[in-house]
Amino acid sequence: MLVLGAESDQVLSKSDQRLNSALNALYGGMNGGGGKKRRGSLSRSAPKVSRWLGDIREFFPSSVVQVVQRDAFERLGLKEMLMEPEFLAALEADVHLVADLVSLRSVMPEKTIDTARQVIKKVVDELMERLERKTSEAVRGALNKSKRSFRPRFNDIDWHRTIHANLRHYQHEHRTIVPEKLVGFMRQQRRIVDLDEVILCVDQSGSMATSVVYSSIFAAVMASIPAVKTRLVCFDTAILDLTEDLEDPVSVLFGVQLGGGTDINQAVAYCENLIDQPSKTHLILITDLCEGGDGNALKTRIAHLIRQGVNVITLLALSDEGKPFYDAEMAADFAAIGSPVFACTPDQFPDLMATALKREDVLSWAADQDIQAVRPEDERM
């Protein structure tokens, strides 16, 4: 029996205490004396709101979450908080906050959605600034790093070697180097059909919220690189192909529907139909592998793709958080099939993509990064 209330913490587990606190913050409780209702509060702390929303998504199915979120808007004034300029100015660039705002979108009034877009754009811009250059350099370098050019295009300039080659041209009065010789990567003239293709297939169920945000940003960055074709497919029990929206990461995030069930097999089947050249395709499946559809069909499909030459990499999470929750049995089966299975941080992802595009050993790369990959079941016994 679950006993909830202000005086019940001593008889509850830590998990149930978090549930009790989450419900108390919104609906209040009965004080021990006269049965008078006590009003809950989330205060005006953005991190506290974020944690509360995360707890709600963890403890309840999406249908209940939407009801609770709607109540929070009405009872706790979250709408008013988001509409206040001083509240927006105090927000930190936090991927969890973006996930929360995207999750709340369906219960927001139109004016609040406009404000939420501003907040999301602020966070996305800061994340893009942090991640864009490293991703672009890693991907371009992976595709053709062996040849040098002394007449490179601007985007292909190797700035480290260019500066080193022009140190003697340092201008003291201007405190800068005037490069007379540019060093860059040789750009291959490649037809569209010869391009490597990356398909990011991302689980948008509630537990994968921060992974969806980071995946959308990386997809937008890679879509801007002419040397590689990039697709973004998000799924729960439905499938959203957001490839056409990649020029605007904010629009991509507003197209995401966080929550719901999970049908990985259906999503992989959709991606399979997009593949024209298996040997040039890299399928990055980002999911906790908690399959709600046909698990055996999923494993058969993944095995077939690998046999065809598709580079299938399974990321259990793309986030800054610790060890993610995932289906250990399914993960071990994927590893046995031949798909590397592990989680990585956003800072590691560009190097992962470079390794994948060069068709190098992804598991060796993971070991060098101190990333613990999932092993097949028979290797663990």
Side-chain angles (χ1 to χ4, degrees), residues 79-298:
K79 172 186 172 183
E80 287 73 16
M81 290 169 61
L82 292 175
M83 294 296 287
E84 292 180 6
E86 60 271 21
F87 178 75
L88 295 180
L91 290 176
E92 296 292 332
D94 184 350
V95 70
H96 298 283
L97 179 62
V98 172
D100 294 336
L101 292 177
V102 170
S103 176
L104 287 167
R105 183 198 57 217
S106 62
V107 296
M108 289 181 182
E110 193 61 36
K111 289 183 179 180
T112 307
I113 288 178
D114 292 338
T115 306
R117 275 186 174 272
Q118 297 174 28
V119 177
I120 291 174
K121 186 177 187 307
K122 172 184 174 182
V123 176
V124 168
D125 286 349
E126 293 191 21
L127 290 172
M128 288 283 283
E129 183 179 356
R130 167 187 155 196
L131 301 170
E132 185 171 18
R133 180 175 177 180
K134 182 177 180 182
T135 304
S136 298
E137 289 179 351
V139 171
R140 285 195 179 94
L143 292 171
N144 188 3
K145 214 169 185 179
S146 58
K147 298 182 180 179
R148 301 290 173 194
S149 171
F150 297 107
R151 298 182 61 185
R153 300 181 187 185
F154 180 80
N155 287 337
D156 297 324
I157 295 174
D158 185 334
W159 288 107
H160 178 77
R161 285 182 169 82
T162 295
I163 292 171
H164 187 269
N166 290 275
L167 288 175
R168 64 181 181 279
H169 302 304
Y170 181 76
Q171 304 291 314
H172 291 279
E173 63 273 23
H174 300 297
R175 302 182 66 184
T176 190
I177 292 174
V178 179
E180 293 187 3
K181 177 182 179 182
L182 297 177
V183 182
F185 303 122
M186 179 75 74
R187 180 184 288 262
Q188 291 178 321
Q189 299 300 319
R190 309 175 75 191
R191 297 175 298 164
I192 293 297
V193 294
D194 292 331
L195 296 179
D196 279 66
E197 182 166 17
V198 174
I199 303 175
L200 294 177
C201 185
V202 188
D203 186 341
Q204 63 178 8
S205 58
S207 61
M208 301 294 294
T210 57
S211 296
V212 172
V213 175
Y214 278 124
S215 299
S216 300
I217 292 171
F218 279 119
V221 171
M222 291 194 296
S224 69
I225 302 172
V228 63
K229 291 195 297 182
T230 304
R231 293 181 180 271
L232 175 64
V233 176
C234 294
F235 68 91
D236 41 38
T237 53
I239 297 169
L240 281 173
D241 191 331
L242 298 168
T243 304
E244 297 302 319
D245 298 323
L246 287 177
E247 290 185 2
D248 182 1
V250 176
S251 294
V252 169
L253 288 170
F254 264 79
V256 168
Q257 303 284 341
L258 291 176
T262 309
D263 193 335
I264 308 172
N265 180 52
Q266 177 183 237
V268 173
Y270 177 86
C271 293
E272 184 177 17
N273 289 330
L274 300 175
I275 298 172
D276 293 323
Q277 297 189 88
S279 64
K280 291 183 175 294
T281 302
H282 311 268
L283 176 60
I284 314 300
L285 180 60
I286 304 176
T287 176
D288 56 15
L289 293 175
C290 296
E291 174 65 305
D294 190 333
N296 290 328
L298 170 62

Side-chain angles (χ1 to χ4, degrees), residues 291-349:
E291 174 65 305
D294 190 333
N296 290 328
L298 170 62
K299 288 182 283 188
T300 299
R301 196 179 301 279
I302 291 294
H304 176 66
L305 288 172
I306 293 173
R307 284 195 303 270
Q308 285 187 310
V310 177
N311 191 13
V312 182
I313 298 171
T314 305
L315 294 184
L316 301 170
L318 178 56
S319 69
D320 293 300
E321 298 164 3
K323 185 177 180 181
F325 171 82
Y326 61 92
D327 185 318
E329 182 177 350
M330 183 69 81
D333 289 344
F334 264 53
I337 291 169
S339 173
V341 183
F342 52 85
C344 80
T345 68
D347 287 328
Q348 293 167 327
F349 187 76

Side-chain angles (χ1 to χ4, degrees), residues 11-63:
V11 297
L12 299 179
S13 67
K14 288 185 177 180
S15 176
D16 287 340
Q17 286 178 28
R18 287 173 55 211
L19 171 58
N20 185 34
S21 297
L23 292 176
N24 241 3
L26 176 58
Y27 298 109
M30 306 293 291
N31 64 19
K36 183 181 178 180
K37 286 187 177 180
R38 176 169 58 84
R39 187 167 179 83
S41 172
L42 295 177
S43 76
R44 294 181 180 268
S45 164
K48 191 171 182 180
V49 173
S50 183
R51 285 194 301 272
W52 177 79
L53 289 168
D55 287 344
I56 292 299
R57 282 201 303 269
E58 178 181 339
F59 291 125
F60 297 106
S62 58
S63 57

